[in-house]
Amino acid sequence: MQEILTSINSFRGIRGSMVMSKDGFLIVADVRDRTDVEAIAAYASAIIVEINRAWPKLNIGEFRMFSVTGDEGRIVFFNTGRAILVVFLDLTVKMTIFEDELRSAARDVERRIKF
Amino acid sequence: MNYLRRFYLEREIRKLEERIKESPDPNDFIRLVPLYAEMGETGKADSLKAKGKELFPAVDFSRIVYEKPESGPGFNTGKEVQDIKLELTDHPNPWLYGKLARLHLNGGELDQAEEVARGAQKLYPTHPYPYIIMAEVAVLRNDRVAAATNFDQAIKLDSQSAISIVHLCEYYQEVKDFDRTRKLLESLLIPQKGAFAAAPPAPGQIPSSRSSDAQSMSSSVRESVRVKAPMDEAMTPEKSTGLTDIVARLRTQKFIQGVIISDHDGQVQVADLPYSLDQGDVGKAMSNLYLSAMTQAKQMTLGSYLYNAFEGESGGFLIVQTPTYVVGLLFDKRRRLDQDQEEIFEFCRQLF
């Protein structure tokens, strides 16, 4: 799992990545700065709860990913079945550049996660 | 029963049936039984009661009341009619006349209903309700032309009368005037500016022609109530109406399938969504998602919240915060949201 995160983090503009369970527990993380990844996992789970409630009303099929963008950065959450792959991005970078790699990494995480 | 009500009942029944199928709850049984009764499917209502009793023996399903007392067995219509007539002598108002006419309608007494509605029309010529009753009488008599004339008049007096608009649409559909049908339906989907000012006056504000200064009050009410009817609006070139105009501009992007705009308190201001989606449901969903993401953005060291995007296998949803409004955009499934969110965000920022 660590290898997947290391390969994700090799892209310029990515500040780090982690894998968390859907109920907000950190599984593995690889971030460059002192980001409190456990706290972020907990905060993200609050949004996931809201997504689970709201999703059926939007009628857009199975949930794949969501992102939150602020004026200091962006976090992207990929649904990997039982877990969530979280990627921290700088605002200066366009995700389009390595989007396919991130989606492929999310599929790898899905294959490796076994609870 | 008009078919707006039928549509609502069918939707509620579907929802409750699905919930009961997933996880039976006695409260859902209690809500569902009267809906079937109102639809006239008493057999289904009874079997549902029996099923509920079987699953939840402790609950007394025999005490379920019908939604409308006048539809229930043993309801004394005559007494109700007398009571309303008495009340009308003391506090006359168009809604009460409407209630009286509706009682006659429910009892199949079309002549009496028409008589009451005509009386109310004379007393309150600027109020839409008597016209709606007259139109419903005409529908029951299968007089489509008279129904359309009365619904049209009701719409002129209350441009947001959904019942009148939908009935009138049915008429235009029947005479194959699809352009008018479409434009009328659009007027339901995109509320007009000042829609709240177009609401019919409350009972207390209605002047009776019996009062001494009825004439002057009547004309002032007429001035405040008279708004441009959807038909007038639909048949004239569109004007720029603020949010409606913004929705139209957003919808020029082919990959945007729906737009919903609410204020920061979650009140939907305007929406143009696919027919399969419920405006209220999407509005609530957007408001909750927005509040949740906005609250967590700071905690997640992202600074001030700007926007968030959701992607499903058959479409996407982007929520953008602007100084006054929250904008929700539904995306085409072929579009990958992560490619467009920045451009759309900038586009929205410029629009507002």
Side-chain angles (χ1 to χ4, degrees), chain B residues 283-301:
Chain B
K284 274 183 210 153
M286 176 174 81
S287 179
N288 291 338
L289 287 169
Y290 160 69
L291 285 173
S292 176
M294 187 194 65
T295 317
Q296 309 302 343
K298 202 122 205 159
Q299 315 278 7
M300 293 195 293
T301 65

Side-chain angles (χ1 to χ4, degrees), chain A residues 64-65 67 69 71 74 99, chain B residues 304 306-309 311 336:
Chain A
R64 280 185 179 164
M65 64 153 255
S67 64
T69 305
D71 57 5
R74 175 184 299 161
E99 182 200 334
Chain B
S304 295
L306 293 176
Y307 57 93
N308 58 329
E311 190 185 289
R336 283 164 86 160

Side-chain angles (χ1 to χ4, degrees), chain A residues 15 35 39-40 42-44 46-48 50-51 53-75 77-78 88-89 91 93-96 99-100 103, chain B residues 276-278 281-282 284-286 288-290 292-294 296-317 330-331 333 336-343:
Chain A
R15 294 192 301 197
T35 308
I40 287 180
Y43 296 132
I47 304 179
I48 292 166
E50 211 48 68
I51 289 176
R53 267 193 224 140
W55 207 255
K57 292 165 189 166
L58 298 176
N59 197 20
I60 49 176
E62 197 186 333
F63 160 58
R64 280 185 179 164
M65 64 153 255
F66 77 94
S67 64
V68 184
T69 305
D71 57 5
E72 290 172 18
R74 175 184 299 161
I75 304 182
F77 303 79
F78 290 93
F88 301 86
L89 294 147
L91 262 192
V93 71
K94 281 196 181 265
M95 204 177 93
T96 328
E99 182 200 334
D100 288 335
R103 286 177 193 272
Chain B
S276 57
L277 296 179
D278 181 282
D281 282 352
V282 176
K284 274 183 210 153
M286 176 174 81
N288 291 338
L289 287 169
Y290 160 69
S292 176
M294 187 194 65
Q296 309 302 343
K298 202 122 205 159
Q299 315 278 7
M300 293 195 293
T301 65
L302 294 174
S304 295
Y305 168 87
L306 293 176
Y307 57 93
N308 58 329
F310 303 87
E311 190 185 289
E313 63 179 355
S314 58
F317 192 54
L330 276 161
F331 278 72
K333 66 176 174 184
R336 283 164 86 160
L337 204 50
D338 42 5
Q339 287 177 359
D340 301 305
Q341 47 185 294
E342 285 161 42
E343 287 78 5

